Structure formats: C-alpha cells, structure tokens
Amino acid sequence: MNKEITLVASGDSLITMRQSVHSEPDFMELVEIIRSADVAFTNHEMLLHDYEEDCYPAAQSGGTYTRAAPSIINELRWMGYNLFSTANNHSLDYSYGGLFATKAYLEAAGVTYAGTGRDLAEARAPAYLDTVKGRVALIAACSTFAPFGRAGDSRRDMRGRPGLNPLRYDTWYEVRPETLERIKKISEEMGIDGVIQSEDPGEFHFLRTKYVAGPNVGSHTKGNKSDLEGNLESIREAARQADWVLFSLHAHEGAWKDTERPAEFIEEFARAAVD
C-alpha cells in the first residue's frame, strides 16, 4: 500500500445542468484539481430519475424536491468525481421509487456510492473504491431527515425498510432551576398531563421537550446509542477491508448559538470514529 493518497472532498452537489459544455479557465482549473486526485468525493444530493412509475413526491421533502436527469451522473464523472454519498435530507424526496431509480442509475454508471439501501444493512454498509494508491472505503450517514427516511433492519419474517443510514440524536434543554419551576407551573396551569415524568425533580418533560436544571444553559445533544454503535461497527469493518476509510455525515445541526461549530453529538461521534 502507498503511504500517501490525494483526496478531494466537496460539499453538496445540487447540479441539474450539463457541466461539460463549459471551458472557462477558472472553472477548468477547478475541474483539473478534482481530476488530479486519487479520490474525489461529493455528496450527491440530487435524485436521478425521469419521473418513472413509483417516483411519487413524498408528503414531506427535504426542504424542496430535488431531482435531475439521470445523465447528470456522467457530468459529475466528467468533472472527475469517483466516490459519492447518497445519504442526505433529499434521499426520499420522491419516495422509495426515487431512491431505487437513483440507485439503479448510479449502478448503471458504474460509480461507487454509499448511504442508502433496500434496508439498514445495505444503507450502512461500506462501499469500496479501488485505486492505484490502495483501497478506499466509504460509509455515509445523515442526521437531518424526515422520520420516514431512515432505513430499517430486515428480519427473518419481514423485509427491511428502504432508506438512508441514520445518525439520530436526542435533544434536551438545560435551564436554571428557577426557569424549570416556571415551566412546571405553566404545565400545571395548562392542565397538560399524561406524561410520565422522571423521579428526578431536576428534570421535566413539557410539550415533547426535555428540560434539565443546571448551569450550562442552552440546547444539548447526544447521539442515539444504536446508530452510534452501528456506524462504528461499519467503520471497524471497513478498516479491516480497506487501506483508507472515509466517513461522510450530512448534517444541518450546529452548536447552541454557534452554527459554525458542529452539534455536540457530531463531535461525540467524530471522536469515537477516530478512536
């Protein structure tokens, strides 16, 4: 194995028009940077289909309904990209039909991608790209998605649910003790009941939100244990099979009052992944 490899990683590719028609020097300079890398990665955030049967718009989109002509994958290949994530908030914009059509067009183009599948095992599985500098593995996940978008496990008696590889998280708000008492008072005045409260007086659930008394006022997050362990196991599997391992997370979550920093659960997972 070579000890060095060059990697170009870009953000979200939301491309609907041909790129190969352009020849402007500045643009071609960028293209040559992408082409020069051993591995060129991007988050492929467009679904590929021609509105085939079963490509119905879902009841909820990832903000808007993203779709491009299937030939767009050839434009990205022309630019030099050879490794793609398909796990993002638009993965299920056109229901399962859009997901399956996109997978079919990517596979027909012969590209390496990860992040979505016919069940959770397939969505979470590493994808492998063989290069002259060694084998590269990709695991791709997403933390920002509609609840119906996450893939589910298969069982012996039931097929799994198609979707994306999730990295879920729990959120709670830490407030001053006097603020927590006011929240409890509001709940009592509104007559909201039916919620099983914690025996800890410093914790209270109100309107589907958890509040905890403490000094670190603000919003806090912690990764879902099942998703953390599942993705870490995929990383361990990839490390056994590849020379280089790349993990991609598509996330819109930022730190409390500082969206330039990742949310706490992302930092938590990143440290665990490196370890």
Side-chain angles (χ1 to χ4, degrees), residues 39-129:
V39 181
F41 166 83
T42 191
N43 172 40
H44 184 54
E45 204 161 0
M46 301 299 293
L47 292 171
L48 302 175
H49 63 80
D50 277 325
Y51 300 100
E52 292 94 335
E53 188 175 359
D54 294 334
C55 290
Y56 298 105
Q60 180 179 343
S61 73
T64 187
Y65 293 88
T66 65
R67 169 264 168 199
S71 60
I72 287 297
I73 188 60
N74 295 323
E75 298 297 307
L76 291 169
R77 293 179 66 198
W78 172 84
M79 293 179 70
Y81 288 110
N82 56 11
L83 193 59
F84 301 85
S85 165
T86 55
N88 54 71
N89 52 302
H90 295 289
S91 298
L92 273 292
D93 275 358
Y94 285 86
S95 308
Y96 296 148
L99 184 149
F100 293 148
T102 300
K103 286 173 58 63
Y105 285 116
L106 291 174
E107 289 166 8
V111 302
T112 302
Y113 71 94
T116 52
R118 296 182 181 276
D119 61 12
L120 181 57
E122 184 176 301
R124 190 164 280 171
Y128 297 96
L129 174 69

Coordinates of all heavy atoms in Angstrom, one line a residue, residues 39-129:
V39 N -8.8 10.2 -5.1 CA -10.2 10.0 -4.7 C -10.8 11.4 -4.7 O -10.3 12.3 -4.1 CB -10.3 9.4 -3.2 CG1 -11.7 9.3 -2.8 CG2 -9.5 8.1 -3.2
A40 N -12.0 11.5 -5.4 CA -12.7 12.7 -5.5 C -14.1 12.4 -5.0 O -14.9 11.8 -5.7 CB -12.7 13.3 -6.9
F41 N -14.5 13.0 -3.8 CA -15.7 12.7 -3.2 C -16.7 13.9 -3.2 O -16.3 15.0 -3.1 CB -15.5 12.3 -1.7 CG -16.7 12.3 -0.8 CD1 -17.6 11.2 -0.8 CD2 -17.1 13.5 -0.1 CE1 -18.7 11.3 -0.1 CE2 -18.2 13.5 0.6 CZ -19.1 12.4 0.7
T42 N -18.0 13.6 -3.3 CA -19.0 14.6 -3.2 C -20.3 14.0 -2.6 O -20.5 12.8 -2.8 CB -19.3 15.3 -4.5 OG1 -20.1 16.5 -4.3 CG2 -20.0 14.4 -5.5
N43 N -21.1 14.8 -2.0 CA -22.4 14.4 -1.5 C -23.4 14.6 -2.7 O -23.7 15.8 -3.0 CB -22.9 15.2 -0.3 CG -24.3 14.9 0.0 OD1 -24.8 13.8 0.0 ND2 -25.0 16.0 0.4
H44 N -23.8 13.5 -3.3 CA -24.7 13.6 -4.4 C -26.2 13.9 -3.9 O -26.9 12.9 -3.6 CB -24.7 12.3 -5.2 CG -25.4 12.3 -6.5 ND1 -25.3 13.3 -7.5 CD2 -26.4 11.5 -7.0 CE1 -26.1 13.1 -8.5 NE2 -26.8 12.0 -8.2
E45 N -26.6 15.1 -3.9 CA -27.8 15.5 -3.2 C -29.0 15.6 -4.2 O -30.0 16.1 -3.9 CB -27.7 16.8 -2.5 CG -28.7 16.9 -1.3 CD -28.3 17.9 -0.3 OE1 -27.2 18.5 -0.4 OE2 -29.1 18.0 0.7
M46 N -28.8 15.1 -5.4 CA -29.9 15.1 -6.4 C -30.4 13.6 -6.6 O -29.5 12.7 -6.7 CB -29.5 15.7 -7.7 CG -29.0 17.1 -7.7 SD -30.2 18.3 -7.1 CE -31.4 18.2 -8.5
L47 N -31.7 13.4 -6.6 CA -32.2 12.1 -7.1 C -32.2 12.1 -8.6 O -32.3 13.1 -9.3 CB -33.6 11.9 -6.6 CG -33.7 11.8 -5.0 CD1 -35.2 11.8 -4.6 CD2 -33.1 10.5 -4.6
L48 N -31.9 10.9 -9.1 CA -31.8 10.7 -10.6 C -33.0 9.9 -11.0 O -33.2 8.7 -10.7 CB -30.5 10.0 -10.9 CG -29.2 10.7 -10.5 CD1 -28.0 9.8 -10.8 CD2 -29.1 12.0 -11.1
H49 N -33.9 10.5 -11.8 CA -35.0 9.8 -12.4 C -35.7 10.6 -13.5 O -35.4 11.9 -13.5 CB -36.0 9.3 -11.4 CG -36.7 10.4 -10.6 ND1 -37.7 11.1 -11.1 CD2 -36.5 10.9 -9.4 CE1 -38.2 12.0 -10.2 NE2 -37.4 11.9 -9.2
D50 N -36.5 10.0 -14.3 CA -37.3 10.7 -15.3 C -38.7 10.6 -15.0 O -39.6 10.4 -15.8 CB -37.0 10.1 -16.7 CG -35.7 10.8 -17.3 OD1 -35.5 12.0 -17.1 OD2 -35.0 10.0 -18.0
Y51 N -39.1 10.7 -13.7 CA -40.4 10.6 -13.2 C -41.1 9.2 -13.6 O -42.2 9.2 -14.0 CB -41.3 11.8 -13.7 CG -40.8 13.1 -13.3 CD1 -40.0 13.9 -14.1 CD2 -41.1 13.6 -12.0 CE1 -39.5 15.1 -13.7 CE2 -40.6 14.8 -11.5 CZ -39.8 15.6 -12.4 OH -39.3 16.8 -12.0
E52 N -40.3 8.2 -13.5 CA -40.8 6.9 -13.8 C -41.9 6.5 -12.8 O -42.1 7.2 -11.8 CB -39.6 5.8 -13.7 CG -38.6 5.9 -14.7 CD -37.4 6.8 -14.3 OE1 -37.5 7.6 -13.4 OE2 -36.3 6.6 -14.8
E53 N -42.5 5.4 -13.1 CA -43.6 4.9 -12.2 C -43.0 4.7 -10.8 O -41.9 4.2 -10.7 CB -44.2 3.6 -12.8 CG -45.4 3.1 -12.1 CD -46.0 1.9 -12.7 OE1 -45.5 1.4 -13.8 OE2 -47.0 1.4 -12.2
D54 N -43.8 5.0 -9.8 CA -43.4 4.9 -8.4 C -42.5 6.0 -7.9 O -42.2 6.1 -6.7 CB -42.7 3.6 -8.1 CG -43.7 2.4 -8.3 OD1 -44.9 2.6 -8.2 OD2 -43.2 1.3 -8.6
C55 N -42.1 7.0 -8.8 CA -41.4 8.1 -8.3 C -42.3 9.3 -7.9 O -42.3 10.3 -8.6 CB -40.4 8.6 -9.4 SG -39.0 7.4 -9.7
Y56 N -43.1 9.0 -6.9 CA -44.1 10.0 -6.4 C -43.4 10.9 -5.4 O -42.6 10.5 -4.6 CB -45.2 9.3 -5.8 CG -46.0 8.4 -6.7 CD1 -45.9 7.0 -6.5 CD2 -46.9 8.9 -7.6 CE1 -46.6 6.1 -7.4 CE2 -47.6 8.0 -8.4 CZ -47.5 6.7 -8.3 OH -48.2 5.8 -9.1
P57 N -43.7 12.2 -5.5 CA -43.2 13.1 -4.4 C -43.7 12.7 -3.1 O -44.9 12.4 -2.9 CB -43.7 14.5 -4.8 CG -44.9 14.2 -5.7 CD -44.6 12.9 -6.4
A58 N -42.8 12.6 -2.1 CA -43.2 12.2 -0.7 C -44.1 13.3 -0.1 O -44.1 14.5 -0.6 CB -42.0 12.0 0.1
A59 N -44.8 13.0 1.0 CA -45.6 14.0 1.7 C -44.8 15.1 2.2 O -45.2 16.3 2.4 CB -46.4 13.3 2.8
Q60 N -43.5 14.8 2.5 CA -42.6 15.9 3.1 C -41.3 15.8 2.3 O -40.7 14.7 2.1 CB -42.4 15.6 4.6 CG -41.5 16.6 5.2 CD -41.3 16.3 6.7 OE1 -42.1 15.6 7.3 NE2 -40.3 16.9 7.3
S61 N -40.7 16.9 1.9 CA -39.4 16.9 1.2 C -38.3 17.3 2.1 O -38.6 17.7 3.3 CB -39.5 17.9 0.0 OG -39.5 19.2 0.5
G62 N -37.1 17.3 1.7 CA -36.0 17.8 2.5 C -35.8 19.3 2.4 O -34.7 19.8 2.7
G63 N -36.9 20.0 2.1 CA -36.9 21.5 2.0 C -37.4 21.9 0.7 O -38.0 22.9 0.5
T64 N -37.1 21.1 -0.3 CA -37.6 21.2 -1.7 C -37.4 19.9 -2.3 O -36.7 19.0 -1.8 CB -37.0 22.3 -2.5 OG1 -37.7 22.5 -3.7 CG2 -35.5 22.0 -2.8
Y65 N -38.1 19.6 -3.5 CA -38.0 18.3 -4.1 C -36.8 18.4 -5.1 O -36.9 19.1 -6.1 CB -39.3 18.0 -4.8 CG -40.4 17.7 -3.8 CD1 -41.2 18.7 -3.3 CD2 -40.6 16.4 -3.3 CE1 -42.2 18.5 -2.4 CE2 -41.6 16.2 -2.4 CZ -42.4 17.2 -1.9 OH -43.4 17.0 -1.0
T66 N -35.7 17.7 -4.9 CA -34.6 17.7 -5.7 C -34.6 16.5 -6.7 O -34.8 15.4 -6.3 CB -33.3 17.7 -5.0 OG1 -33.1 16.5 -4.2 CG2 -33.2 18.9 -4.0
R67 N -34.3 16.8 -7.9 CA -34.3 15.7 -9.0 C -33.5 16.3 -10.2 O -33.6 17.4 -10.5 CB -35.7 15.4 -9.3 CG -35.8 14.5 -10.6 CD -36.1 15.3 -11.8 NE -36.0 14.5 -13.0 CZ -35.8 15.0 -14.2 NH1 -35.7 16.3 -14.4 NH2 -35.7 14.2 -15.3
A68 N -32.8 15.4 -10.8 CA -32.0 15.7 -12.0 C -32.2 14.6 -13.0 O -32.5 13.5 -12.7 CB -30.6 16.0 -11.7
A69 N -31.9 14.9 -14.3 CA -31.9 13.9 -15.3 C -30.8 12.9 -15.0 O -29.8 13.2 -14.5 CB -31.6 14.5 -16.7
P70 N -31.1 11.6 -15.3 CA -30.1 10.6 -15.0 C -28.7 10.8 -15.6 O -27.7 10.4 -15.1 CB -30.7 9.3 -15.5 CG -32.2 9.6 -15.5 CD -32.4 11.0 -15.8
S71 N -28.7 11.5 -16.7 CA -27.4 11.8 -17.4 C -26.5 12.7 -16.6 O -25.3 12.8 -16.9 CB -27.6 12.4 -18.8 OG -28.3 13.6 -18.6
I72 N -27.0 13.3 -15.5 CA -26.2 14.2 -14.7 C -25.0 13.5 -14.0 O -23.9 14.1 -13.8 CB -27.0 15.0 -13.7 CG1 -27.9 16.0 -14.4 CG2 -26.2 15.6 -12.6 CD1 -27.1 17.1 -15.1
I73 N -25.2 12.2 -13.7 CA -24.1 11.5 -13.1 C -22.9 11.4 -14.0 O -21.8 11.5 -13.6 CB -24.6 10.1 -12.7 CG1 -23.5 9.4 -11.9 CG2 -24.9 9.2 -13.9 CD1 -23.1 10.1 -10.6
N74 N -23.1 11.4 -15.3 CA -22.0 11.4 -16.3 C -21.3 12.8 -16.3 O -20.1 12.8 -16.5 CB -22.5 11.1 -17.7 CG -23.0 9.7 -17.8 OD1 -22.5 8.8 -17.2 ND2 -24.1 9.5 -18.6
E75 N -22.0 13.8 -16.0 CA -21.4 15.2 -15.9 C -20.4 15.2 -14.6 O -19.3 15.8 -14.7 CB -22.4 16.3 -15.8 CG -23.3 16.4 -17.0 CD -22.6 16.7 -18.2 OE1 -21.8 17.7 -18.2 OE2 -22.7 16.0 -19.2
L76 N -20.9 14.6 -13.5 CA -20.0 14.6 -12.3 C -18.8 13.7 -12.6 O -17.7 14.0 -12.1 CB -20.8 14.1 -11.1 CG -21.9 15.1 -10.7 CD1 -22.8 14.4 -9.7 CD2 -21.3 16.3 -10.0
R77 N -19.0 12.6 -13.3 CA -17.9 11.7 -13.6 C -16.9 12.5 -14.6 O -15.7 12.4 -14.4 CB -18.3 10.5 -14.3 CG -19.1 9.6 -13.4 CD -19.6 8.3 -14.1 NE -18.5 7.5 -14.5 CZ -18.6 6.5 -15.5 NH1 -19.7 6.3 -16.1 NH2 -17.5 5.8 -15.7
W78 N -17.4 13.3 -15.5 CA -16.6 14.1 -16.4 C -15.7 15.0 -15.6 O -14.5 15.3 -15.9 CB -17.4 14.9 -17.3 CG -16.7 15.9 -18.2 CD1 -16.0 15.6 -19.3 CD2 -16.5 17.3 -17.9 NE1 -15.4 16.8 -19.8 CE2 -15.7 17.8 -18.9 CE3 -17.0 18.1 -16.9 CZ2 -15.4 19.2 -18.9 CZ3 -16.7 19.4 -16.9 CH2 -15.9 20.0 -17.9
M79 N -16.3 15.6 -14.5 CA -15.5 16.5 -13.6 C -14.4 15.8 -12.8 O -13.5 16.4 -12.4 CB -16.5 17.2 -12.7 CG -17.5 18.2 -13.3 SD -18.6 19.0 -12.2 CE -17.4 20.1 -11.3
G80 N -14.6 14.5 -12.7 CA -13.5 13.7 -12.0 C -14.0 13.0 -10.7 O -13.2 12.3 -10.1
Y81 N -15.2 13.2 -10.3 CA -15.7 12.6 -9.1 C -15.8 11.0 -9.3 O -16.3 10.6 -10.3 CB -17.1 13.1 -8.7 CG -17.0 14.5 -8.2 CD1 -17.5 15.6 -8.9 CD2 -16.4 14.8 -7.0 CE1 -17.4 16.9 -8.4 CE2 -16.3 16.1 -6.5 CZ -16.9 17.1 -7.2 OH -16.8 18.4 -6.7
N82 N -15.4 10.3 -8.3 CA -15.5 8.9 -8.3 C -16.0 8.2 -7.1 O -16.0 7.0 -7.0 CB -14.1 8.2 -8.7 CG -13.0 8.7 -7.7 OD1 -13.3 9.2 -6.7 ND2 -11.8 8.4 -8.1
L83 N -16.4 9.0 -6.1 CA -16.9 8.5 -4.8 C -18.1 9.4 -4.4 O -17.9 10.6 -4.3 CB -15.8 8.4 -3.8 CG -16.1 7.6 -2.5 CD1 -16.4 6.2 -2.8 CD2 -14.9 7.7 -1.6
F84 N -19.2 8.8 -4.1 CA -20.4 9.6 -3.8 C -21.2 9.1 -2.6 O -21.3 7.9 -2.3 CB -21.4 9.4 -5.0 CG -20.8 9.9 -6.3 CD1 -20.1 9.0 -7.1 CD2 -21.1 11.1 -6.8 CE1 -19.6 9.4 -8.3 CE2 -20.5 11.6 -8.0 CZ -19.8 10.7 -8.8
S85 N -21.7 10.1 -1.8 CA -22.7 9.8 -0.7 C -24.1 10.1 -1.3 O -24.3 11.0 -2.0 CB -22.4 10.7 0.5 OG -23.5 10.6 1.4
T86 N -25.0 9.2 -0.9 CA -26.4 9.4 -1.3 C -27.3 9.6 0.0 O -28.5 9.6 -0.1 CB -26.9 8.2 -2.1 OG1 -26.7 7.0 -1.4 CG2 -26.2 8.2 -3.4
A87 N -26.7 9.7 1.2 CA -27.4 9.9 2.4 C -27.5 11.4 2.7 O -26.6 12.0 3.1 CB -26.7 9.2 3.5
N88 N -28.7 11.9 2.5 CA -29.0 13.3 2.8 C -30.5 13.6 3.0 O -31.3 12.7 2.9 CB -28.4 14.2 1.7 CG -28.9 13.9 0.4 OD1 -30.1 14.1 0.0 ND2 -28.0 13.3 -0.5
N89 N -30.8 14.8 3.3 CA -32.2 15.1 3.6 C -33.1 15.0 2.4 O -34.4 15.2 2.5 CB -32.4 16.5 4.3 CG -31.7 17.6 3.5 OD1 -30.5 17.5 3.2 ND2 -32.4 18.6 3.1
H90 N -32.6 14.8 1.2 CA -33.4 14.7 0.0 C -33.5 13.2 -0.5 O -34.1 13.0 -1.6 CB -32.8 15.6 -1.1 CG -32.9 17.0 -0.8 ND1 -34.1 17.7 -0.8 CD2 -31.9 17.9 -0.5 CE1 -33.8 19.0 -0.5 NE2 -32.5 19.1 -0.3
S91 N -32.9 12.3 0.2 CA -32.8 10.9 -0.3 C -34.2 10.3 -0.6 O -34.3 9.5 -1.5 CB -32.1 10.0 0.7 OG -30.8 10.5 0.9
L92 N -35.2 10.7 0.2 CA -36.6 10.2 0.0 C -37.6 11.2 -0.6 O -38.8 11.1 -0.4 CB -37.1 9.6 1.3 CG -36.7 8.1 1.6 CD1 -37.4 7.2 0.7 CD2 -35.2 7.9 1.7
D93 N -37.1 12.2 -1.2 CA -38.0 13.3 -1.8 C -39.0 12.7 -2.7 O -40.1 13.2 -2.8 CB -37.2 14.3 -2.6 CG -36.6 15.4 -1.7 OD1 -36.8 15.4 -0.5 OD2 -35.9 16.3 -2.2
Y94 N -38.7 11.6 -3.4 CA -39.6 11.0 -4.3 C -39.9 9.6 -3.9 O -40.0 8.7 -4.8 CB -39.1 11.1 -5.8 CG -39.2 12.5 -6.4 CD1 -38.2 13.4 -6.2 CD2 -40.3 12.8 -7.1 CE1 -38.3 14.7 -6.7 CE2 -40.4 14.1 -7.6 CZ -39.4 15.0 -7.4 OH -39.6 16.3 -7.9
S95 N -40.0 9.4 -2.6 CA -40.4 8.1 -2.0 C -39.4 7.0 -2.4 O -38.3 7.3 -2.8 CB -41.9 7.7 -2.5 OG -42.8 8.8 -2.2
Y96 N -39.8 5.8 -2.2 CA -38.9 4.7 -2.4 C -38.6 4.5 -3.9 O -37.5 4.1 -4.3 CB -39.6 3.4 -1.9 CG -39.8 3.3 -0.5 CD1 -40.8 2.6 0.1 CD2 -38.9 4.0 0.4 CE1 -41.0 2.5 1.5 CE2 -39.1 3.9 1.8 CZ -40.2 3.2 2.3 OH -40.4 3.2 3.7
G97 N -39.6 4.9 -4.8 CA -39.3 4.8 -6.2 C -38.2 5.7 -6.6 O -37.3 5.3 -7.5
G98 N -38.1 6.9 -6.1 CA -37.0 7.8 -6.4 C -35.6 7.3 -5.9 O -34.6 7.4 -6.6
L99 N -35.7 6.7 -4.7 CA -34.5 6.1 -4.1 C -34.0 4.9 -5.0 O -32.8 4.9 -5.3 CB -34.7 5.6 -2.7 CG -33.6 5.1 -1.9 CD1 -33.8 5.3 -0.4 CD2 -33.4 3.5 -2.1
F100 N -34.9 4.0 -5.4 CA -34.5 2.9 -6.2 C -34.0 3.3 -7.6 O -33.1 2.7 -8.1 CB -35.7 1.9 -6.3 CG -36.0 1.2 -5.0 CD1 -37.4 0.9 -4.8 CD2 -35.1 1.0 -4.0 CE1 -37.7 0.3 -3.6 CE2 -35.4 0.4 -2.8 CZ -36.8 0.0 -2.6
A101 N -34.7 4.3 -8.2 CA -34.3 4.7 -9.5 C -32.9 5.3 -9.4 O -32.0 5.1 -10.3 CB -35.3 5.8 -10.0
T102 N -32.6 6.1 -8.4 CA -31.3 6.7 -8.3 C -30.2 5.7 -8.1 O -29.1 5.7 -8.8 CB -31.2 7.7 -7.1 OG1 -32.2 8.7 -7.2 CG2 -29.9 8.3 -6.9
K103 N -30.5 4.7 -7.3 CA -29.5 3.6 -7.1 C -29.3 2.9 -8.4 O -28.1 2.5 -8.8 CB -30.1 2.6 -6.1 CG -30.0 3.0 -4.7 CD -30.7 2.1 -3.7 CE -30.1 0.7 -3.8 NZ -28.7 0.6 -3.3
A104 N -30.3 2.6 -9.2 CA -30.2 1.9 -10.5 C -29.3 2.7 -11.5 O -28.5 2.1 -12.2 CB -31.6 1.6 -11.1
Y105 N -29.5 4.0 -11.5 CA -28.7 4.8 -12.5 C -27.3 5.0 -12.0 O -26.4 5.0 -12.9 CB -29.4 6.2 -12.6 CG -30.6 6.2 -13.5 CD1 -31.9 6.6 -12.9 CD2 -30.6 5.9 -14.8 CE1 -33.0 6.6 -13.7 CE2 -31.7 5.8 -15.6 CZ -32.9 6.2 -15.0 OH -34.1 6.2 -15.8
L106 N -27.1 5.0 -10.7 CA -25.7 5.1 -10.2 C -25.0 3.8 -10.5 O -23.8 3.8 -10.9 CB -25.7 5.4 -8.7 CG -26.1 6.8 -8.3 CD1 -26.2 6.8 -6.8 CD2 -25.2 7.8 -8.8
E107 N -25.6 2.7 -10.3 CA -25.0 1.4 -10.6 C -24.8 1.2 -12.1 O -23.8 0.6 -12.5 CB -25.9 0.3 -10.0 CG -25.8 0.3 -8.4 CD -26.9 -0.5 -7.8 OE1 -27.6 -1.3 -8.5 OE2 -27.0 -0.5 -6.5
A108 N -25.7 1.6 -12.9 CA -25.5 1.5 -14.3 C -24.3 2.3 -14.8 O -23.6 1.9 -15.8 CB -26.8 2.0 -15.1
A109 N -24.1 3.4 -14.1 CA -22.9 4.3 -14.5 C -21.6 3.7 -13.9 O -20.5 4.2 -14.2 CB -23.1 5.7 -14.0
G110 N -21.7 2.7 -13.0 CA -20.5 2.1 -12.5 C -19.8 2.9 -11.4 O -18.6 2.7 -11.3
V111 N -20.5 3.7 -10.7 CA -19.8 4.6 -9.7 C -20.0 3.9 -8.3 O -20.8 3.1 -8.1 CB -20.4 6.0 -9.7 CG1 -20.3 6.7 -11.0 CG2 -21.9 6.0 -9.2
T112 N -19.1 4.3 -7.4 CA -19.1 3.8 -6.1 C -19.8 4.8 -5.2 O -19.5 6.0 -5.2 CB -17.6 3.7 -5.6 OG1 -16.9 2.8 -6.4 CG2 -17.6 3.1 -4.1
Y113 N -20.8 4.3 -4.4 CA -21.6 5.2 -3.6 C -22.0 4.4 -2.3 O -22.0 3.2 -2.3 CB -22.9 5.7 -4.3 CG -23.9 4.6 -4.6 CD1 -25.0 4.4 -3.7 CD2 -23.8 3.8 -5.7 CE1 -25.9 3.5 -3.9 CE2 -24.8 2.8 -5.9 CZ -25.8 2.6 -5.0 OH -26.8 1.6 -5.2
A114 N -22.4 5.2 -1.3 CA -22.8 4.6 0.0 C -23.8 5.6 0.6 O -23.9 6.7 0.3 CB -21.7 4.4 0.9
G115 N -24.7 5.0 1.5 CA -25.5 5.8 2.3 C -27.0 5.5 2.3 O -27.8 5.9 3.1
T116 N -27.4 4.8 1.2 CA -28.8 4.4 1.1 C -28.9 3.0 0.6 O -28.0 2.4 0.1 CB -29.6 5.3 0.0 OG1 -28.9 5.3 -1.2 CG2 -29.8 6.7 0.5
G117 N -30.1 2.3 0.9 CA -30.2 0.9 0.5 C -31.6 0.4 0.7 O -32.5 1.1 1.1
R118 N -31.7 -0.9 0.4 CA -33.1 -1.5 0.5 C -33.4 -1.9 1.9 O -34.6 -2.2 2.2 CB -33.1 -2.7 -0.4 CG -32.9 -2.4 -1.9 CD -33.0 -3.6 -2.8 NE -32.8 -3.2 -4.2 CZ -33.8 -2.7 -4.9 NH1 -35.1 -2.6 -4.5 NH2 -33.6 -2.3 -6.2
D119 N -32.4 -1.8 2.8 CA -32.7 -2.0 4.2 C -31.5 -1.3 4.9 O -30.6 -0.8 4.3 CB -32.9 -3.4 4.6 CG -31.7 -4.3 4.4 OD1 -30.6 -3.8 4.0 OD2 -31.8 -5.6 4.4
L120 N -31.5 -1.4 6.3 CA -30.5 -0.7 7.0 C -29.1 -1.3 6.8 O -28.1 -0.5 6.7 CB -30.8 -0.7 8.5 CG -29.8 0.0 9.5 CD1 -29.7 1.5 9.1 CD2 -30.3 -0.1 10.9
A121 N -29.0 -2.6 6.7 CA -27.7 -3.2 6.5 C -27.0 -2.7 5.2 O -25.8 -2.4 5.2 CB -27.8 -4.7 6.5
E122 N -27.8 -2.6 4.2 CA -27.3 -2.2 2.9 C -27.0 -0.7 2.9 O -25.9 -0.2 2.4 CB -28.3 -2.4 1.8 CG -27.8 -2.0 0.4 CD -28.8 -2.4 -0.7 OE1 -29.1 -3.6 -0.8 OE2 -29.2 -1.5 -1.5
A123 N -27.8 0.1 3.6 CA -27.6 1.6 3.7 C -26.3 1.9 4.5 O -25.6 2.9 4.2 CB -28.8 2.3 4.3
R124 N -26.1 1.1 5.5 CA -25.0 1.3 6.4 C -23.7 0.6 6.0 O -22.6 0.9 6.5 CB -25.4 0.9 7.8 CG -24.4 1.3 8.9 CD -25.1 1.2 10.3 NE -26.0 2.3 10.6 CZ -26.8 2.4 11.6 NH1 -27.0 1.4 12.4 NH2 -27.6 3.5 11.7
A125 N -23.7 -0.2 5.0 CA -22.6 -1.0 4.6 C -21.5 -0.1 3.9 O -21.9 0.9 3.2 CB -23.0 -2.1 3.6
P126 N -20.2 -0.4 4.1 CA -19.2 0.4 3.4 C -19.2 0.1 1.9 O -19.6 -1.0 1.5 CB -17.9 -0.1 4.1 CG -18.3 -0.8 5.3 CD -19.7 -1.3 5.1
A127 N -18.9 1.1 1.1 CA -18.7 0.9 -0.3 C -17.2 1.0 -0.5 O -16.5 1.8 0.2 CB -19.5 1.9 -1.1
Y128 N -16.7 0.3 -1.5 CA -15.2 0.3 -1.7 C -14.8 0.8 -3.1 O -15.4 0.4 -4.1 CB -14.7 -1.1 -1.5 CG -14.9 -1.6 -0.1 CD1 -16.1 -2.4 0.2 CD2 -14.1 -1.3 0.9 CE1 -16.3 -2.9 1.5 CE2 -14.3 -1.7 2.2 CZ -15.4 -2.5 2.5 OH -15.6 -2.9 3.8
L129 N -13.8 1.6 -3.1 CA -13.2 2.1 -4.4 C -11.8 1.7 -4.4 O -11.0 2.0 -3.6 CB -13.3 3.7 -4.4 CG -12.6 4.4 -5.6 CD1 -13.4 4.1 -6.9 CD2 -12.6 5.9 -5.3

